Amino acid sequence: MTTAPIHGSAGAADARLVVLVSGSGSNLQALLDACADPAYGARVVAVGADRNGTFGAERAAKAGVPAFVHRVKDYPTRDAWDEALTRTVASYAPDLIVSAGFLKLCGPRFLGAFPGRYINTHNSLLPAFPGMNGPGEALAAGVKLAGATLFICDSGVDTGPIVAQCAVPVEDDDTVETLTERIKEAERAQLVTAVGRMVRDGWKVEDRRVRLG
Ligand code: GRF
């Protein structure tokens, strides 16, 4: 799969980001802060959530960004939820969609509508420790390096082509909380850098390999 480069600089319109969240939204905040610099080349045009009352939605309101909620339980089927989410996200004409702590797997309609343009940040060094408890599983496995992975979503759980990875040390006295926080700090910086490069320079996906620029 090859994705045409997106140009968001030198007079062209900023790239349009839709960010999906389920919780605190610190990764969303990092993107909102980065987008305040016109040289970054992107702006967050909408924030979506799968539940009411997320701190991410509050962050969106504070930044003057529209927010929407689609809860799976409000739809008769998972497919109907997927369809509604796809329609709403598409209405914002996004160049890139960022899952930043969004605790739902999107379905075939969503993935088909935004091929190669839906990315997720995960708090482990994939392919190790996919799923909901990356830092806890890293600690339990006794690894000495943990980290975060930004990848292009496919239909699997944390299986898509990798855009960027960063590592942090696991300290002897780490708890799940301290390791999670260390990972999150590195993860936010990575997300901002990689999304900036994607929107300014474009990206290509060939087989499993993602090339920026
Ligand atoms: C991130 O560490 C992400 O990898 C994980 O959930 C966290 C979301 O954090 N899936 P936040 O909501 O952006 O603060």
Side-chain angles (χ1 to χ4, degrees):
M1 174 176 37
T2 300
T3 304
I6 295 168
H7 298 289
S9 58
D14 281 345
R16 300 171 63 82
L17 308 180
V18 170
V19 183
L20 302 179
V21 300
S22 294
S24 80
S26 67
N27 283 284
L28 162 66
Q29 189 64 55
L31 287 172
L32 288 167
D33 293 346
C35 289
D37 178 355
Y40 187 64
R43 66 194 167 104
V44 179
V45 295
V47 170
D50 64 334
R51 62 200 68 195
N52 292 327
T54 62
F55 194 50
E58 269 183 51
R59 293 179 194 272
K62 214 173 244 172
V65 172
F68 60 87
V69 173
H70 284 300
R71 303 188 305 176
V72 171
K73 66 180 175 194
D74 292 337
Y75 295 87
T77 62
R78 184 88 185 196
D79 272 358
W81 171 81
D82 192 49
E83 190 177 339
L85 182 69
T86 304
R87 204 173 314 116
T88 303
V89 170
S91 74
Y92 290 100
D95 296 301
L96 193 60
I97 304 147
V98 183
S99 160
F102 186 58
L103 299 176
K104 289 285 177 298
L105 279 183
C106 291
R109 193 178 296 258
F110 190 95
L111 296 174
F114 311 110
R117 288 191 289 139
Y118 178 41
I119 59 176
N120 181 38
T121 181
H122 177 71
N123 52 9
S124 80
L125 290 174
L126 294 171
F129 317 126
M132 298 288 288
N133 188 23
E137 287 183 21
L139 265 188
V143 298
K144 299 299 185 194
L145 283 176
T149 303
L150 183 69
F151 63 95
I152 296 176
C153 297
D154 61 14
S155 58
V157 177
D158 300 330
T159 51
I162 291 171
V163 176
Q165 287 187 303
C166 59
V168 300
V170 179
E171 306 292 355
D172 290 346
D173 57 355
D174 263 335
T175 61
V176 175
E177 290 72 29
T178 58
L179 180 58
T180 298
E181 278 315 305
R182 190 175 309 117
I183 292 170
K184 284 186 76 167
E185 200 176 323
E187 182 179 28
R188 288 191 288 269
Q190 168 171 269
L191 181 66
V192 165
T193 301
V195 166
R197 285 198 61 196
M198 289 177 86
V199 300
R200 290 190 303 272
D201 303 336
W203 69 96
K204 281 199 182 96
V205 186
E206 279 157 349
D207 301 320
R208 293 282 310 173
R209 303 188 67 184
V210 180
R211 289 194 183 79
L212 300 179

mmCIF file of all heavy atoms in Angstrom, residues 21-28 59 100-103 120-124 131 148 180 183-184 187-188, ligand 1:
data_model
loop_
_atom_site.group_PDB
_atom_site.id
_atom_site.type_symbol
_atom_site.label_atom_id
_atom_site.label_comp_id
_atom_site.label_asym_id
_atom_site.label_seq_id
_atom_site.Cartn_x
_atom_site.Cartn_y
_atom_site.Cartn_z
ATOM 1 N N VAL A 21 -10.011 9.537 21.526
ATOM 2 C CA VAL A 21 -9.543 9.332 22.900
ATOM 3 C C VAL A 21 -10.591 8.541 23.698
ATOM 4 O O VAL A 21 -11.768 8.493 23.325
ATOM 5 C CB VAL A 21 -9.305 10.685 23.613
ATOM 6 C CG1 VAL A 21 -8.253 11.523 22.901
ATOM 7 C CG2 VAL A 21 -10.604 11.480 23.746
ATOM 8 N N SER A 22 -10.111 7.969 24.811
ATOM 9 C CA SER A 22 -11.049 7.355 25.764
ATOM 10 C C SER A 22 -10.829 7.880 27.174
ATOM 11 O O SER A 22 -11.622 7.583 28.062
ATOM 12 C CB SER A 22 -10.870 5.830 25.806
ATOM 13 O OG SER A 22 -11.239 5.250 24.582
ATOM 14 N N GLY A 23 -9.717 8.594 27.394
ATOM 15 C CA GLY A 23 -9.402 8.938 28.779
ATOM 16 C C GLY A 23 -8.778 10.292 28.938
ATOM 17 O O GLY A 23 -9.311 11.300 28.478
ATOM 18 N N SER A 24 -7.587 10.288 29.552
ATOM 19 C CA SER A 24 -7.002 11.558 30.005
ATOM 20 C C SER A 24 -6.570 12.457 28.853
ATOM 21 O O SER A 24 -6.570 13.676 28.996
ATOM 22 C CB SER A 24 -5.826 11.282 30.926
ATOM 23 O OG SER A 24 -4.683 10.974 30.174
ATOM 24 N N GLY A 25 -6.170 11.878 27.755
ATOM 25 C CA GLY A 25 -5.872 12.695 26.576
ATOM 26 C C GLY A 25 -4.580 13.495 26.663
ATOM 27 O O GLY A 25 -4.459 14.557 26.046
ATOM 28 N N SER A 26 -3.579 12.963 27.383
ATOM 29 C CA SER A 26 -2.318 13.722 27.432
ATOM 30 C C SER A 26 -1.618 13.708 26.069
ATOM 31 O O SER A 26 -0.934 14.668 25.712
ATOM 32 C CB SER A 26 -1.392 13.193 28.535
ATOM 33 O OG SER A 26 -0.947 11.894 28.247
ATOM 34 N N ASN A 27 -1.789 12.639 25.306
ATOM 35 C CA ASN A 27 -1.235 12.635 23.943
ATOM 36 C C ASN A 27 -1.965 13.639 23.061
ATOM 37 O O ASN A 27 -1.344 14.324 22.247
ATOM 38 C CB ASN A 27 -1.323 11.231 23.343
ATOM 39 C CG ASN A 27 -0.261 10.307 23.896
ATOM 40 O OD1 ASN A 27 0.905 10.395 23.531
ATOM 41 N ND2 ASN A 27 -0.648 9.420 24.798
ATOM 42 N N LEU A 28 -3.275 13.718 23.211
ATOM 43 C CA LEU A 28 -4.044 14.746 22.508
ATOM 44 C C LEU A 28 -3.515 16.136 22.855
ATOM 45 O O LEU A 28 -3.323 16.974 21.966
ATOM 46 C CB LEU A 28 -5.523 14.636 22.901
ATOM 47 C CG LEU A 28 -6.388 15.862 22.607
ATOM 48 C CD1 LEU A 28 -6.511 16.089 21.109
ATOM 49 C CD2 LEU A 28 -7.763 15.727 23.268
ATOM 50 N N ARG A 59 -10.231 18.830 27.278
ATOM 51 C CA ARG A 59 -9.064 19.470 26.649
ATOM 52 C C ARG A 59 -9.462 20.042 25.292
ATOM 53 O O ARG A 59 -9.027 21.134 24.909
ATOM 54 C CB ARG A 59 -7.933 18.452 26.466
ATOM 55 C CG ARG A 59 -7.320 17.933 27.744
ATOM 56 C CD ARG A 59 -6.228 16.926 27.376
ATOM 57 N NE ARG A 59 -5.751 16.107 28.460
ATOM 58 C CZ ARG A 59 -4.761 16.430 29.295
ATOM 59 N NH1 ARG A 59 -4.161 17.589 29.183
ATOM 60 N NH2 ARG A 59 -4.366 15.581 30.230
ATOM 61 N N ALA A 100 -5.371 7.994 20.205
ATOM 62 C CA ALA A 100 -4.451 8.333 21.299
ATOM 63 C C ALA A 100 -5.114 7.910 22.603
ATOM 64 O O ALA A 100 -5.810 8.694 23.237
ATOM 65 C CB ALA A 100 -4.154 9.824 21.283
ATOM 66 N N GLY A 101 -4.935 6.630 22.929
ATOM 67 C CA GLY A 101 -5.615 6.110 24.107
ATOM 68 C C GLY A 101 -7.080 5.821 23.840
ATOM 69 O O GLY A 101 -7.895 5.852 24.757
ATOM 70 N N PHE A 102 -7.418 5.521 22.590
ATOM 71 C CA PHE A 102 -8.807 5.187 22.211
ATOM 72 C C PHE A 102 -8.971 3.685 22.398
ATOM 73 O O PHE A 102 -8.296 2.902 21.715
ATOM 74 C CB PHE A 102 -9.034 5.593 20.752
ATOM 75 C CG PHE A 102 -10.460 5.438 20.286
ATOM 76 C CD1 PHE A 102 -11.504 6.080 20.922
ATOM 77 C CD2 PHE A 102 -10.742 4.684 19.151
ATOM 78 C CE1 PHE A 102 -12.816 5.961 20.454
ATOM 79 C CE2 PHE A 102 -12.038 4.563 18.672
ATOM 80 C CZ PHE A 102 -13.076 5.204 19.331
ATOM 81 N N LEU A 103 -9.842 3.290 23.315
ATOM 82 C CA LEU A 103 -9.891 1.885 23.722
ATOM 83 C C LEU A 103 -10.893 1.070 22.920
ATOM 84 O O LEU A 103 -11.627 0.241 23.470
ATOM 85 C CB LEU A 103 -10.211 1.800 25.224
ATOM 86 C CG LEU A 103 -9.193 2.474 26.142
ATOM 87 C CD1 LEU A 103 -9.649 2.419 27.593
ATOM 88 C CD2 LEU A 103 -7.822 1.830 25.985
ATOM 89 N N ASN A 120 -2.141 4.658 15.526
ATOM 90 C CA ASN A 120 -2.385 4.432 16.953
ATOM 91 C C ASN A 120 -1.068 4.477 17.699
ATOM 92 O O ASN A 120 -0.052 3.975 17.206
ATOM 93 C CB ASN A 120 -3.037 3.053 17.150
ATOM 94 C CG ASN A 120 -3.345 2.771 18.621
ATOM 95 O OD1 ASN A 120 -3.747 3.650 19.366
ATOM 96 N ND2 ASN A 120 -3.150 1.529 19.027
ATOM 97 N N THR A 121 -1.101 5.086 18.877
ATOM 98 C CA THR A 121 0.093 5.034 19.732
ATOM 99 C C THR A 121 -0.150 4.039 20.858
ATOM 100 O O THR A 121 -1.200 4.058 21.506
ATOM 101 C CB THR A 121 0.497 6.428 20.258
ATOM 102 O OG1 THR A 121 1.673 6.276 21.064
ATOM 103 C CG2 THR A 121 -0.603 7.133 21.043
ATOM 104 N N HIS A 122 0.825 3.152 21.045
ATOM 105 C CA HIS A 122 0.694 2.056 22.012
ATOM 106 C C HIS A 122 1.894 2.071 22.950
ATOM 107 O O HIS A 122 3.023 2.328 22.530
ATOM 108 C CB HIS A 122 0.616 0.715 21.266
ATOM 109 C CG HIS A 122 0.558 -0.461 22.198
ATOM 110 N ND1 HIS A 122 -0.552 -0.749 22.962
ATOM 111 C CD2 HIS A 122 1.498 -1.392 22.516
ATOM 112 C CE1 HIS A 122 -0.309 -1.818 23.698
ATOM 113 N NE2 HIS A 122 0.928 -2.223 23.450
ATOM 114 N N ASN A 123 1.640 1.720 24.228
ATOM 115 C CA ASN A 123 2.698 1.856 25.227
ATOM 116 C C ASN A 123 3.523 0.580 25.441
ATOM 117 O O ASN A 123 3.751 0.166 26.568
ATOM 118 C CB ASN A 123 2.106 2.348 26.550
ATOM 119 C CG ASN A 123 0.932 1.494 27.003
ATOM 120 O OD1 ASN A 123 0.672 0.438 26.425
ATOM 121 N ND2 ASN A 123 0.237 1.929 28.043
ATOM 122 N N SER A 124 3.963 -0.017 24.344
ATOM 123 C CA SER A 124 4.986 -1.073 24.439
ATOM 124 C C SER A 124 5.803 -1.050 23.158
ATOM 125 O O SER A 124 5.434 -0.393 22.179
ATOM 126 C CB SER A 124 4.363 -2.464 24.622
ATOM 127 O OG SER A 124 3.904 -2.985 23.384
ATOM 128 N N GLY A 131 -2.047 -5.095 23.312
ATOM 129 C CA GLY A 131 -3.218 -5.159 24.196
ATOM 130 C C GLY A 131 -3.205 -4.093 25.266
ATOM 131 O O GLY A 131 -2.493 -3.110 25.180
ATOM 132 N N ALA A 148 7.376 2.818 23.521
ATOM 133 C CA ALA A 148 6.119 3.108 22.830
ATOM 134 C C ALA A 148 6.299 2.924 21.333
ATOM 135 O O ALA A 148 7.395 3.098 20.794
ATOM 136 C CB ALA A 148 5.667 4.538 23.130
ATOM 137 N N THR A 180 4.729 3.272 33.489
ATOM 138 C CA THR A 180 3.730 3.833 32.566
ATOM 139 C C THR A 180 4.000 5.318 32.332
ATOM 140 O O THR A 180 3.964 5.791 31.188
ATOM 141 C CB THR A 180 2.309 3.649 33.149
ATOM 142 O OG1 THR A 180 2.061 2.252 33.275
ATOM 143 C CG2 THR A 180 1.249 4.262 32.249
ATOM 144 N N ILE A 183 7.096 5.853 30.148
ATOM 145 C CA ILE A 183 6.771 5.551 28.746
ATOM 146 C C ILE A 183 5.944 6.689 28.145
ATOM 147 O O ILE A 183 6.205 7.134 27.021
ATOM 148 C CB ILE A 183 5.995 4.219 28.638
ATOM 149 C CG1 ILE A 183 6.878 3.034 29.011
ATOM 150 C CG2 ILE A 183 5.426 4.042 27.234
ATOM 151 C CD1 ILE A 183 6.120 1.715 29.167
ATOM 152 N N LYS A 184 4.968 7.170 28.902
ATOM 153 C CA LYS A 184 4.059 8.183 28.342
ATOM 154 C C LYS A 184 4.798 9.472 27.972
ATOM 155 O O LYS A 184 4.452 10.133 26.995
ATOM 156 C CB LYS A 184 2.913 8.477 29.316
ATOM 157 C CG LYS A 184 1.856 7.374 29.315
ATOM 158 C CD LYS A 184 0.658 7.709 30.157
ATOM 159 C CE LYS A 184 -0.241 8.707 29.463
ATOM 160 N NZ LYS A 184 -1.555 8.811 30.141
ATOM 161 N N GLU A 187 6.501 8.750 24.819
ATOM 162 C CA GLU A 187 5.464 8.488 23.810
ATOM 163 C C GLU A 187 4.897 9.789 23.233
ATOM 164 O O GLU A 187 4.689 9.920 22.026
ATOM 165 C CB GLU A 187 4.349 7.667 24.474
ATOM 166 C CG GLU A 187 3.211 7.265 23.569
ATOM 167 C CD GLU A 187 2.170 6.428 24.316
ATOM 168 O OE1 GLU A 187 2.035 6.597 25.554
ATOM 169 O OE2 GLU A 187 1.499 5.618 23.658
ATOM 170 N N ARG A 188 4.658 10.756 24.121
ATOM 171 C CA ARG A 188 4.093 12.040 23.658
ATOM 172 C C ARG A 188 5.063 12.751 22.725
ATOM 173 O O ARG A 188 4.665 13.296 21.690
ATOM 174 C CB ARG A 188 3.775 12.932 24.859
ATOM 175 C CG ARG A 188 2.586 12.472 25.650
ATOM 176 C CD ARG A 188 2.170 13.524 26.653
ATOM 177 N NE ARG A 188 3.074 13.668 27.783
ATOM 178 C CZ ARG A 188 2.953 12.998 28.926
ATOM 179 N NH1 ARG A 188 1.967 12.139 29.100
ATOM 180 N NH2 ARG A 188 3.810 13.184 29.918
HETATM 181 C C1 GRF B 1 -1.122 5.873 26.104
HETATM 182 O O1 GRF B 1 0.013 5.502 26.856
HETATM 183 C C2 GRF B 1 -1.433 4.840 25.062
HETATM 184 O O2 GRF B 1 -0.302 4.170 24.592
HETATM 185 C C3 GRF B 1 -2.294 3.883 25.828
HETATM 186 O O3 GRF B 1 -3.100 4.712 26.620
HETATM 187 C C4 GRF B 1 -2.364 5.878 26.954
HETATM 188 C C5 GRF B 1 -3.257 7.052 26.687
HETATM 189 O O4 GRF B 1 -2.843 8.151 27.425
HETATM 190 N N1 GRF B 1 -3.043 3.025 24.935
HETATM 191 P P1 GRF B 1 -3.526 9.576 27.256
HETATM 192 O O5 GRF B 1 -5.036 9.378 27.340
HETATM 193 O O6 GRF B 1 -3.112 10.161 25.944
HETATM 194 O O7 GRF B 1 -3.012 10.369 28.421
#
